[in-house]
Amino acid sequence: GVDLVLVPLLGTGLGQAVQCIGASATGQCLGAGAVNDTTAFRIGPTAQGFDGMSAPLGAAPSATLPQPYFPGEIQNGAVTTSAGSGEFLDPNFRPDRSDEFDLTIQRQLSQNFTTEIGYTGRIIRNEYQAVNLSHVPIELTAGGQQFMQAFANLNQQLVNGQTITAQPFFEAALGGANSTYCKGYASCTAAVAANEGPAGNGDMGNYSTGNDVWTMWSDMSSSSSWTLGRTNLSSATTCNTPGTGACPGNGIISPGGQLSAIFDNIALGWGNYNSVFWSVQMRNWHGLTLQSNLTFSHSLGTGQVVQATSEYNVTNPFNFAYDYGPQFNNVPLNYNLYFIYEPGSRTQHGVMGHLLNGWSFAPILTWRTYGNNFDAGGPGTGSTQVNGGNDQSSFGEGNPYAGSYAQEGAIPVAVYTGGGGIVRGVVTTNSIGVVGNKRTQINRFGNPGAVYNEFRAPVLGLDTTGTAGYVPGLAGTDVDFSVTKNLALSERFSTELNAQATNVFNHFTANSPYLDLTNPTGFGYIGGSGLSPRTVEVGLAVRW
């Protein structure tokens, strides 16, 4: 219903939005970064200058809109307010297809014992996905070279401290060495390196913080020397008539300053699930009923979002395989055991019969490998992804302030040495992984600095995946327990006393570590337990 009914209603329409950036408590619009907690518009005492009943929004520029109306364009000497993200349903959208297969073999070993082994598989096609049409055209060619290849070459030269060599794409796109942008530099490529490299805006050439391809493209295409047509991905365009004059169109889809993004909801995602399980059942054997299950599984796909998701974008719309990797419900190993033990006779005669009979004990043991929060609505991924740092821009996905994007995984550059568990008492000698519990210094790694240097941020044109950089997920164990005592007082009256405990041993199960290359001081930090503390609930039932 969301994609077929709601999304068509979310298409970009004409509106005269009124916005106030940096709203102050005194009713002023001070602009981005010009306010703080003490001066920003908020609810508070009127005597202190706060009036939560009157938002500092100005009036609309005019009662009517000029025709034609271009949001984000300069009209009558002023830049009109831009709209938000646009979204539409692809004409070829279709419901997803799910094909499921299973094969099980059961064997009764005795009157009380049964075992079962089986396979379960699932193939998903035409899965919901969204593509941001304002994605940087990374495969665009100029001067006989693709932008992504020119980016990769220049990035490597900056990272490795090599001599900057001219890249045909930059030379052609920025008008040559005598253009305004390139004048004073040995080449247009050298100008890009100076303006967008570590010494300039820092949008490229850094393996730790990632590369901001979106901002870099916006900077270059906004310059007066740009020859491929204005795109202005992040700021309002200055063209009254797009496609003519100073803004020649070149077929690049871009909202300019009119929209923050344009999302096309399509059905081209895919995924699959495969699992093998082994189950053993024991029924009423000397008062014991038991169930044991062991599952080995793998869940892969191009993304995992609910059908109601809006404004979500793949890492690379030109190749969805960049996002193919473990899904949130991927649990490589999962084992659970539960049983009910009812010792003694069911009848209760005499004092000893009332004391010794009518008991039942029911523990539940769960063990599994996981990657995300142990009890945050799902079992986790079985592995934890190292964040590459720039989740929305390393491949030019889109405007960082519009929509949501798949996390870009870091790229492994050395053999992983971090092990599979947690380490207590970690003492670091540098600034990597120093944040932690001051009493125990729990970290995912014994040497956070060494593991940190085993990964780098992804580089456009050099890497072909957005889901790399997984480290083994931690294992989690949980034991719950309940005990019940039924006391038959007479034929008409009986009572039942029960106690249930979750995490009965108050066991510490580490949360997923913080693994973000842009936060070296917190790298590997364990933020706490994935299990809630032991909770005991006691109840009494009286029957008559």
Side-chain angles (χ1 to χ4, degrees), residues 136-207:
V136 173
I138 58 178
E139 296 183 342
L140 186 66
T141 299
Q145 184 185 42
Q146 287 185 330
F147 166 68
M148 59 191 298
Q149 190 57 55
F151 181 94
N153 292 344
L154 179 55
N155 187 81
Q156 290 295 287
Q157 293 172 0
L158 288 171
V159 170
N160 298 322
Q162 301 172 345
T163 302
I164 303 301
T165 59
Q167 301 299 317
F169 179 90
F170 296 130
E171 304 306 315
L174 291 168
N178 295 322
S179 68
T180 303
Y181 183 91
C182 307
K183 188 174 296 183
Y185 295 95
S187 64
C188 288
T189 306
V192 172
N195 293 320
E196 302 298 334
N201 295 331
D203 295 329
M204 68 182 307
N206 193 318
Y207 270 173

Side-chain angles (χ1 to χ4, degrees), residues 18-24 27-35 40-41 56-58 81-82:
V18 177
Q19 61 181 355
C20 180
I21 305 300
S24 69
Q28 298 172 299
C29 302
L30 303 178
V35 295
F41 167 71
L57 296 177
T81 301
S82 61

Side-chain angles (χ1 to χ4, degrees), residues 315-520:
T315 299
N316 182 2
F318 305 103
N319 187 348
F320 281 14
Y322 273 49
D323 287 329
Y324 185 74
Q327 302 291 270
F328 296 135
N329 66 325
N330 183 52
V331 184
L333 285 173
N334 186 28
Y335 176 74
N336 58 72
L337 168 70
Y338 63 91
F339 63 83
I340 300 175
Y341 180 51
E342 298 175 309
S345 173
R346 293 180 179 273
T347 60
Q348 300 181 21
H349 298 291
V351 176
M352 294 303 295
H354 282 82
L355 292 177
L356 298 178
N357 299 331
W359 291 93
S360 66
F361 306 92
I364 301 176
L365 168 67
T366 302
W367 177 90
R368 60 191 173 203
T369 56
Y370 69 102
N372 295 333
N373 193 321
F374 188 79
D375 58 24
T381 62
S383 54
T384 305
Q385 189 179 36
V386 181
N387 187 355
N390 227 333
D391 284 345
Q392 299 172 341
S393 296
S394 292
F395 297 97
E397 294 93 312
N399 188 338
Y401 304 102
S404 59
Y405 301 81
Q407 176 174 301
E408 299 171 356
I411 305 300
V413 294
V415 177
Y416 173 69
T417 60
I422 63 173
V423 180
R424 301 175 186 269
V426 175
V427 179
T428 58
T429 56
N430 51 30
S431 60
I432 299 177
V434 297
V435 175
N437 188 300
K438 294 182 179 180
R439 290 175 296 174
T440 59
Q441 288 292 327
I442 301 176
N443 197 285
R444 175 64 176 80
F445 314 109
N447 188 342
V451 179
Y452 180 89
N453 292 321
E454 293 167 3
F455 297 90
R456 63 165 174 77
V459 178
L460 174 66
L462 187 65
D463 302 309
T464 59
T465 178
T467 60
Y470 284 98
V471 301
L474 298 172
T477 304
D478 184 21
V479 178
D480 302 329
F481 184 79
S482 70
V483 57
T484 302
K485 176 64 173 84
N486 186 282
L487 182 61
L489 300 177
S490 67
E491 290 188 14
R492 294 185 55 189
F493 292 93
S494 65
T495 63
E496 182 180 274
L497 178 66
N498 64 79
Q500 301 177 14
T502 58
N503 190 13
V504 63
F505 296 118
N506 212 27
H507 178 67
F508 173 80
T509 296
N511 254 334
S512 294
Y514 293 94
L515 300 176
D516 190 339
L517 295 184
T518 64
N519 181 19

